[in-house]
């Protein structure tokens, strides 16, 4: 028994360790703390933004400042973000490297500790690694470049491929969509801009890895993925940060455009440290016969507010959100989905499973909208919540609006515990209570974990096991 | 036994409900007049609900305006008190017309059961009323309107069943409304003491096609192992508006059941709050709505569990015809420590036309352990297979549709489990179908 306890402790320490280390800061460019028009100009100057980007940023700052905090429906914890104490742009002024050998040692070590280059060799088609505000490394396999696949960061995308990206930039998620989308539009930096030409099916996933290394920092990456007619792409992102005493802000905007018959799958494994406010706006547009799929897993952060959405704009378009959230002590996972049906015969599916451990709180917030004059739209929403301890909390707030009688929607939610009988059964067969609990929880989310690529699902199961350690007994 | 009141009390001077509350007659208890004054102040201080308020999401908020509504005038001729007394048997019957008592057929020799007009009860048993009168807050968004009700309420009924009292037949209350742009504030207070059993059937009926604004409050309190049933049959004119606020509290092992049949009104907002406060308590919330063109039913509910081993079950069904609009927003709240709660919430929308609009916001907030909670919401049209099945057996399309819709709504009536009330409900459902051309 004592061996087991030591092992549990080791495992837990290892879990905390995965992302909890920091290298000294050596920034050539630092926009300072606080957000003013001068901050925007500083960022534009460093990035040598085009005039229209500068104007776009300044306009967005105005929108950000004019919008109230959405605390009339969201948690009051948002009020603890002090925008004047955040550093909005930090970079070493280097261009992203194409080869790991050129990446500065401390950054290289960071990503090596997180296993990124190893994964790239194994199964990725392209990788981008962002360190604070800018990408440190960005590479895409040669055969993909030859096929015309573009995989660059946001600055490069807007500068060198403006003809491709500008028409869609800020169109799926307009600046005024919400306060945090406006904030991102004002100070965005880094992120991935991806274009997949017609008919190209990218077999292996593209991956981005986001790392915050500096204290009091805000990371605002911007991602835009355009899948041209009949193409297919899978994108994965992961995130970590060291544990600081102070709050860190991560506020991304991710826009996906799936043109006729295209398929985009976007996978997130979010493991921010528990001081990070993770306020992200993600939305995709699916044109005729296209499909946008969000697979979203939230394990880390202090507060996550993220509701991936799909606007089904063309006939027979499909949207899907698969969401797993785990909220432990001090965490609030406020996640959900938004499905906007804007054409006939569109269908959407939302499956959300959340686990609340200790004093953790998980929330599902969803919106399904079927406007007038459409026919044959379908939505299915299922959300299941599992409460582990007596102080765990869970909420569900869906909103379903249906106009007209040629559609079908169904929504179901349930809240339950791990059954005592189940635990007893497993303990009788020699499992410790912790193992039994862990097995039960993994069983609860098993069908969703299968949706992740193999390497990720194994990692995910391990992360969940680690989170569950110490939650019982 | 029947008392027909010949000369109704002197009418209030008609004036805008926004300018002043209805004058209260002399001799009411001091606490009551103080409450009225305080409530009037509160009404003036509270802002009108805003569009960004989550509790008013999707609602046609401008309908809540009382601009132009006056204190209901005394009708020129009073309604025939027996026209709507449609239950075969009732232990007591009361009828009001624009707030004026028309008839009171009160129980005699029914020890333990008190049924009397609110005003009379305020004079005769003020302490009992004070213990229960508008005790809980209005958490669902209409606090301003609840304050206006409190400042004006005088017409209505107080029903009290003392320990172990269980009258066989229900109490029947009818509120008639007539006249143009009148505001009405009917109040119902039902208290069931330990082991008491009481059923109340209430009607809201418009006598003309004029527009009325009804702000009604019905509070039900069920003490230890009491069984309290309440059904509200809302048949206002299709130009009328209403805000109906209901609070139900269930103590230890109590069993409370409330049903709302929503048929009339241009805009009707219902707010129903259940406090499940005693171990072993059970609350059932039922609603059937059949709106047609120009009608919006905005339904808000809370099921609040505050004790261990409690259950609640909500079933709201909406059959939407033509350009009808419904909103259902429900929330199950399981408080800290309310372990072993079983709470369920179901909202079903049946869209009969391509112009209907149904919004559902079924919600859960769980802060306890060992809880079984679920909610479900569906929106669909009549299942084509079911329709085909009936048509294949020679049933005409129109009849088949009506049959299916009827069956859809009937589940709510059956769950109420009161035979005489069920017959009544069926009659009005049938009438509404006829009016909608179904």
């Amino acid at each position: 028994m004592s061996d087991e306890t030591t092992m549990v402790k080791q495992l837990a320490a290892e879990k905390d360790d995965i992302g909890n280390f920091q290298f000294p800061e050596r920034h050539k460019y630092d926009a300072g703390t606080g957000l003013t028009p001068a901050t925007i100009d500083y960022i534009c100057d460093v990035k040598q933004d085009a005039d229209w980007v500068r104007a776009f940023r300044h306009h967005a700052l105005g929108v950000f400042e004019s919008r109230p905090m959405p605390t009339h429906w969201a948690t009051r914890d948002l009020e603890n973000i002090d925008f004047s104490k955040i550093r909005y742009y930090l970079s070493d002024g280097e261009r992203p490297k194409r080869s790991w050998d050129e990446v500065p040692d401390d950054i290289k070590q960071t990503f090596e500790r997180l296993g990124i280059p190893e994964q790239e060799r194994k199964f990725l088609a392209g990788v981008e690694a962002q360190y604070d505000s800018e990408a440190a490394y960005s590479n895409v396999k040669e055969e993909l470049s030859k096929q015309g696949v573009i995989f660059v960061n946001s600055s490069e995308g807007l500068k060198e491929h403006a003809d491709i990206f500008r028409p869609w930039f800020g169109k799926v998620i307009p600046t005024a969509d919400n306060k945090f989308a406006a904030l991102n539009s004002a100070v965005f930096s880094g992120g991935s801009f991806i274009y997949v030409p017609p008919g190209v099916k990218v077999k292996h996933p593209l991956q981005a890895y986001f790392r915050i290394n500096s204290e009091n920092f805000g990371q605002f990456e911007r991602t835009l993925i355009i899948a041209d007619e009949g193409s297919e792409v899978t994108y994965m992102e992961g995130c970590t940060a060291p544990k600081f005493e102070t709050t860190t802000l991560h506020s991304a905007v991710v826009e996906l455009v799936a043109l006729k018959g295209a398929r985009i799958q976007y996978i997130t494994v979010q493991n921010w440290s528990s001081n990070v406010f993770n306020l992200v706006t993600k939305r995709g547009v699916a044109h005729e016969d296209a499909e946008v799929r969000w697979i979203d897993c939230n394990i880390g952060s202090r507060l996550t507010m993220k509701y991936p959405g799909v606007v089904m704009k063309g006939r027979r378009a499909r949207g899907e959100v698969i969401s797993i959230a785990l909220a432990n002590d001090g965490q609030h996972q406020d996640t959900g989905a938004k499905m906007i049906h804007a054409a006939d015969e569109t269908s959407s599916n939302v499956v959300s499973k959340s686990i609340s451990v200790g004093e953790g709180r998980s929330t599902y917030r969803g919106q399904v909208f079927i406007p007038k004059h459409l026919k044959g739209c379908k939505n299915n929403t299922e959300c299941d919540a599992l409460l582990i301890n007596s102080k765990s909390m869970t909420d569900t707030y869906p909103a379903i609006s249906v106009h007209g009688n040629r559609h079908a929607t169904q929504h179901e939610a349930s809240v339950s515990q791990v059954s005592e009988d189940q635990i007893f059964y497993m303990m009788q067969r020699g499992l410790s209570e912790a193992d039994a609990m862990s097995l039960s929880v993994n069983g609860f989310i098993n069908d969703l974990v299968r949706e992740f690529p193999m390497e990720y699902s194994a990692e995910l199961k391990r992360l969940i096991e680690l989170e569950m350690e110490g939650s019982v007994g | 036994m029947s008392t027909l009141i010949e000369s109704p009390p002197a009418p209030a001077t008609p004036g805008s409900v926004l300018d002043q509350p209805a004058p209260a007659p002399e001799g009411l208890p001091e606490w009551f007049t103080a409450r009225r004054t305080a409530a009037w102040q509160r009404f003036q201080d509270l802002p009108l609900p805003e569009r960004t308020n989550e509790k008013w999401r999707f609602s046609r908020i401008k309908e809540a305006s009382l601009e132009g509504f006056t204190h209901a005038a005394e009708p020129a001729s009073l309604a025939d008190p027996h026209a709507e007394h449609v239950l075969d048997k009732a232990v007591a019957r009361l009828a009001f017309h624009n707030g004026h008592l028309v008839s009171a057929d009160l129980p005699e020799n029914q020890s333990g059961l008190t049924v009397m007009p609110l005003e009379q009860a305020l004079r005769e048993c003020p302490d009992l009323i004070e213990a229960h009168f508008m005790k809980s807050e209005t958490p669902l968004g209409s606090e301003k309107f609840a304050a206006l009700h409190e400042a004006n309420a005088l017409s209505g009924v107080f029903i009290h069943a003392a320990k172990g009292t269980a009258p066989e037949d229900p109490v029947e209350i009818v509120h008639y409304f007539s006249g143009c742009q009148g505001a009405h504030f009917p109040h119902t207070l039902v208290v069931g003491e330990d082991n008491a059993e009481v059923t109340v059937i209430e009607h809201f009926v418009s006598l003309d096609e004029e527009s009325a604004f009804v702000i009604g409050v019905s509070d039900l309190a069920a003490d230890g192992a009491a069984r309290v049933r309440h059904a509200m049959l809302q048949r206002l004119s299709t130009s009328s508006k209403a805000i109906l606020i209901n609070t139900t509290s269930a103590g230890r092992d109590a069993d409370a059941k409330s049903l709302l049949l929503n048929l009339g009104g241009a805009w009707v907002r219902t707010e129903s709050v259940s406090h499940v406060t005693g171990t072993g308590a059970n609350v059932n919330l039922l609603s059937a709505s059949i709106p047609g063109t120009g009608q919006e039913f905005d339904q808000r509910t809370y099921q609040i569990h505050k004790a261990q081993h409690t259950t609640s079950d909500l079933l709201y069904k909406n059959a939407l015809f033509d350009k009808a609009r419904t909103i259902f927003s429900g929330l199950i709240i399981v408080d800290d420590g309310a372990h072993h709660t079983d709470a369920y919430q179901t909202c079903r929308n049946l869209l009969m036309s391509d112009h209907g609009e149904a919004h559902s916001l079924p919600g859960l907030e769980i802060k306890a352990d060992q809880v079984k909670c679920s909610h479900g919401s569906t929106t669909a049209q009549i299942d084509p297979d079911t329709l085909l099945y009936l048509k294949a057996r020679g049933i005409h399309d129109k009849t088949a549709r009506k049959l299916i819709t009827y069956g859809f709504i009937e589940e709510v009536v059956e769950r109420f489990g009161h035979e005489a009330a069920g017959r009544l409900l069926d009659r009005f459902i049938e009438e509404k179908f006829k009016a909608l051309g179904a």
Side-chain angles (χ1 to χ4, degrees):
Chain A
M1 191 64 196
S2 69
D3 277 358
E4 195 181 285
T5 322
T6 342
M7 205 184 73
V8 165
K9 278 191 185 144
Q10 264 173 6
L11 277 170
E14 186 192 326
K15 188 256 155 192
D16 280 349
D17 252 15
I18 293 173
N20 191 22
F21 56 89
Q22 187 201 3
F23 283 100
E25 298 174 23
R26 36 162 196 80
H27 299 297
K28 194 166 153 200
Y29 297 111
D30 180 349
T33 50
L35 183 56
T36 62
T39 323
I40 307 281
D41 284 325
Y42 183 88
I43 297 173
C44 292
D45 293 342
V46 172
K47 296 175 93 65
Q48 294 166 0
D49 280 338
D51 287 345
W52 72 269
V53 178
R54 190 183 292 259
F56 178 87
R57 288 179 186 272
H58 277 290
H59 166 71
L61 179 64
V63 175
F64 167 69
E65 283 169 347
S66 69
R67 287 296 178 93
M69 273 288 187
T71 40
H72 63 285
W73 57 270
T75 165
R76 300 201 82 85
D77 195 18
L78 283 176
E79 285 163 4
N80 295 319
I81 306 173
D82 187 346
F83 291 102
S84 66
K85 289 211 176 114
I86 286 171
R87 298 195 281 175
Y88 289 85
Y89 183 81
L90 295 172
S91 93
D92 60 4
E94 306 277 325
R95 282 183 63 82
K97 305 296 185 283
R98 298 287 174 203
S99 134
W100 275 111
D101 298 336
E102 295 167 30
V103 173
D105 277 348
D106 50 353
I107 301 181
K108 193 153 62 182
Q109 279 176 37
T110 301
F111 288 111
E112 263 162 15
R113 280 181 76 164
L114 299 166
I116 308 299
E118 191 190 337
Q119 284 180 1
E120 180 186 6
R121 279 192 292 277
K122 268 198 290 193
F123 74 106
L124 298 173
V127 170
E128 174 170 340
Q130 179 166 342
Y131 197 76
D132 289 343
S133 292
E134 295 291 359
Y137 170 77
S138 162
N139 190 29
V140 61
K141 296 235 161 100
E142 220 173 285
E143 67 258 34
L144 284 180
S145 310
K146 277 189 196 145
Q147 285 178 304
V149 174
I150 301 170
F151 181 25
V152 292
N153 66 34
S154 58
S155 320
E156 215 178 316
L158 289 176
K159 237 175 280 172
E160 283 156 38
H161 306 281
D163 53 325
I164 295 173
F165 293 113
R166 190 173 168 183
W168 291 106
F169 178 75
K171 293 296 188 295
V172 183
I173 301 170
T175 302
D177 190 78
N178 64 72
K179 189 175 176 73
F180 296 99
L183 175 64
N184 176 286
S185 301
V187 295
F188 71 91
S189 178
S192 315
F193 274 41
I194 297 170
Y195 172 75
V196 186
V200 174
K201 297 195 167 138
V202 184
K203 232 195 290 166
H204 298 291
L206 297 170
Q207 197 194 42
Y209 205 86
F210 298 96
R211 170 75 182 171
I212 295 177
N213 186 60
S214 306
E215 202 163 351
N216 279 330
F217 176 67
Q219 191 173 57
F220 305 97
E221 90 267 12
R222 183 110 193 171
T223 293
L224 174 58
I225 301 175
I226 302 168
D228 215 325
E229 291 188 7
S231 67
E232 278 177 27
V233 63
T234 297
Y235 179 87
M236 303 199 295
E237 60 170 1
C239 358
T240 60
K243 275 187 188 151
F244 292 121
E245 289 302 310
T246 54
T247 53
T248 305
L249 177 60
H250 174 255
S251 184
V253 165
V254 178
E255 299 175 289
L256 310 184
V257 180
L259 296 173
K260 195 174 169 185
R263 293 187 58 178
I264 301 178
Q265 183 161 256
Y266 192 106
I267 303 169
T268 306
V269 175
Q270 181 267 105
N271 192 23
W272 291 117
S273 59
S274 52
N275 58 307
V276 175
F277 280 95
N278 182 41
L279 312 166
V280 177
T281 313
K282 290 181 164 174
R283 196 171 305 149
V285 170
H287 288 84
E288 201 174 316
D289 293 309
E291 181 182 89
V292 170
R293 241 179 142 216
W294 298 97
I295 300 179
D296 203 39
C297 177
N298 292 289
I299 296 177
S301 83
R302 163 173 169 174
L303 170 68
T304 286
M305 284 174 67
K306 177 164 51 168
Y307 321 102
V310 183
V311 180
M312 284 148 279
K313 214 178 164 185
R315 274 182 81 132
R316 294 179 299 274
R318 291 179 306 279
E320 189 164 2
V321 171
I322 305 233
S323 168
I324 299 176
L326 199 150
N328 213 326
D329 289 343
Q331 290 186 304
H332 186 178
Q333 305 286 11
D334 193 337
T335 60
K338 207 168 176 175
M339 291 297 181
I340 312 296
H341 291 258
D344 291 343
E345 294 163 65
T346 48
S347 56
S348 60
N349 185 32
V350 179
V351 184
S352 158
K353 296 211 176 189
S354 68
I355 303 151
S356 307
V357 189
E359 293 184 17
R361 176 174 204 162
S362 52
T363 302
Y364 172 84
R365 238 178 259 278
Q367 189 189 4
V368 174
F369 183 77
I370 301 178
K372 283 192 174 105
H373 313 307
L374 293 186
K375 58 175 190 290
C377 300
K378 281 185 194 145
N379 165 265
N380 174 55
T381 305
E382 289 167 43
C383 24
D384 296 322
L386 194 64
L387 292 167
I388 302 292
N389 304 95
S390 63
K391 294 224 159 143
S392 318
M393 286 188 274
T394 181
D395 321 302
T396 315
Y397 307 107
I400 305 143
S401 296
V402 182
H403 299 75
N405 70 341
R406 293 179 288 182
H407 316 288
T409 64
Q410 54 179 19
H411 171 99
E412 254 184 279
S414 76
V415 175
S416 55
Q417 271 73 37
V418 173
S419 97
E420 279 170 31
D421 291 354
Q422 240 178 49
I423 299 288
F424 177 71
Y425 179 91
M426 286 188 273
M427 285 172 73
Q428 250 202 342
R429 274 146 190 81
L431 267 70
S432 71
E433 192 181 356
D435 285 347
M437 187 62 106
S438 184
L439 198 62
S440 261
V441 170
N442 267 313
F444 173 71
I445 54 161
N446 195 38
D447 48 338
L448 294 193
V449 171
R450 267 191 245 135
E451 301 288 334
F452 287 75
M454 226 271 283
E455 289 77 2
Y456 262 54
S457 65
E459 176 68 13
L460 197 59
K461 278 195 171 179
R462 207 169 66 92
L463 278 175
I464 285 165
E465 266 166 33
L466 290 171
E467 280 289 339
M468 294 306 302
E469 296 294 356
S471 64
V472 282
Chain B
M1 142 161 171
S2 170
T3 348
L4 199 62
I5 285 126
E6 276 157 16
S7 57
T13 6
S16 168
V17 283
L18 298 172
D19 294 341
Q20 56 182 20
E26 294 294 310
L28 291 177
E30 225 168 85
W31 66 263
F32 186 73
T33 43
R35 288 276 296 269
R36 279 170 82 94
T37 318
W40 177 251
Q41 191 55 46
R42 222 165 46 246
F43 168 70
Q44 285 174 311
D45 293 346
L46 285 165
L48 272 169
E50 282 174 36
R51 210 179 48 81
T52 51
N53 188 336
E54 273 292 294
K55 288 167 183 166
W56 289 81
R57 190 171 173 190
F58 299 117
S59 189
R60 283 204 300 241
I61 209 156
K62 62 176 196 309
E63 300 285 352
S65 165
L66 282 150
E67 209 67 58
F69 284 92
T70 55
H71 289 289
E74 183 203 343
S77 64
L78 290 176
D80 171 8
H82 297 289
E84 285 292 338
H85 287 183
V86 278
L87 280 176
D88 295 338
K89 280 173 62 213
V91 66
R93 300 179 203 268
L94 291 107
F96 298 83
H97 186 172
N98 285 6
H100 301 287
L101 186 66
V102 179
S103 79
D105 194 349
L106 301 175
E108 272 169 35
N109 309 324
Q110 272 277 350
S111 66
L113 181 71
T114 312
V115 181
M116 57 175 79
L118 185 65
E119 199 182 325
Q120 185 190 345
L122 277 164
R123 294 175 207 276
E124 289 178 22
C125 45
D127 297 346
L128 266 179
I129 309 261
E130 193 181 4
H132 294 99
F133 184 73
M134 294 190 81
K135 267 286 177 218
S136 39
E137 290 171 19
T138 313
L140 282 163
S142 284
E143 50 280 26
K144 189 179 172 75
F145 304 102
L148 183 66
H149 175 94
E150 194 175 332
N152 287 288
L154 204 55
S155 115
V157 182
F158 172 63
I159 298 160
H160 183 269
K163 273 184 191 173
T165 313
E168 220 170 281
D169 301 314
V171 175
E172 192 169 40
I173 305 165
V174 188
H175 282 278
Y176 296 105
F177 307 107
S178 69
C180 186
Q181 302 267 305
H184 309 269
F185 306 95
H187 192 96
T188 306
L189 176 57
V190 185
V191 179
E193 285 189 354
D194 292 355
N195 297 311
E197 246 188 87
V198 61
T199 301
V200 180
I201 310 290
E202 209 170 341
H203 304 255
F204 280 7
V205 192
S206 285
L207 291 171
D208 50 29
E209 282 307 305
E210 302 289 351
S211 67
F213 203 129
V214 181
I215 299 178
V217 169
S218 55
D219 288 341
L220 316 179
D223 291 348
R227 281 163 59 91
V228 174
R229 305 265 175 281
H230 178 257
M232 157 70 68
L233 285 64
Q234 185 273 105
R235 291 180 292 130
L236 296 172
S237 72
T238 47
S239 58
S240 292
K241 302 197 242 189
I243 296 175
L244 307 177
I245 301 165
N246 162 253
T247 310
T248 302
S249 61
R252 196 186 165 95
D253 296 320
D255 184 85
K257 205 178 253 191
S258 73
L259 176 143
L260 173 70
L261 178 67
N262 239 336
L263 299 176
W267 179 80
V268 178
R269 181 175 165 104
T270 60
E271 294 186 8
S272 160
V273 182
S274 309
H275 298 275
V276 195
T277 51
T279 302
N282 173 39
V283 173
N284 264 281
L285 300 155
L286 301 164
S287 169
S289 297
I290 311 173
T293 293
Q295 291 189 290
E296 171 175 312
F297 293 156
D298 179 6
Q299 309 154 10
R300 314 272 160 168
T301 70
Y302 270 176
Q303 290 156 265
I304 308 172
H305 288 259
K306 293 177 179 161
Q308 298 201 16
H309 296 281
T310 52
T311 54
S312 70
D313 196 350
L314 176 147
L315 177 66
Y316 272 48
K317 287 196 160 188
N318 300 317
L320 293 89
F321 286 79
D322 305 319
K323 288 183 183 162
R325 198 165 184 268
T326 61
I327 300 145
F328 168 77
S329 168
L331 190 62
I332 297 177
I333 301 169
V334 180
D335 267 359
D336 226 347
H339 304 304
H340 303 281
T341 291
D342 284 5
Y344 306 100
Q345 183 194 72
T346 311
C347 169
R348 305 236 177 275
N349 299 308
L350 184 65
L351 281 157
M352 304 300 291
S353 94
D354 200 23
H355 307 289
E357 193 180 317
H359 302 269
S360 351
L361 302 118
L364 302 172
E365 268 182 24
I366 317 289
K367 294 172 193 151
D369 201 16
Q370 300 301 324
V371 170
K372 267 190 263 167
C373 279
S374 74
H375 65 206
S377 169
T378 56
T379 304
Q381 54 178 323
I382 285 180
D383 174 28
D385 289 350
T386 315
L387 196 61
L388 179 74
Y389 180 93
L390 291 175
K391 281 159 84 175
R393 273 143 192 85
I395 299 169
H396 191 270
D397 181 84
K398 198 176 159 185
T399 317
R401 280 175 194 276
K402 190 180 144 190
L403 214 57
I404 295 166
T405 317
Y406 196 78
F408 171 79
I409 291 291
E410 195 56 20
E411 189 189 350
V412 175
V413 177
E414 270 171 21
R415 280 233 204 149
F416 190 64
H418 190 288
E419 207 180 311
R423 279 198 298 274
L424 206 58
L425 289 160
D426 286 347
R427 206 188 93 191
F428 295 129
I429 292 167
E430 187 93 4
E431 274 177 19
K432 175 77 184 189
F433 280 154
K434 216 172 268 171
L436 288 164

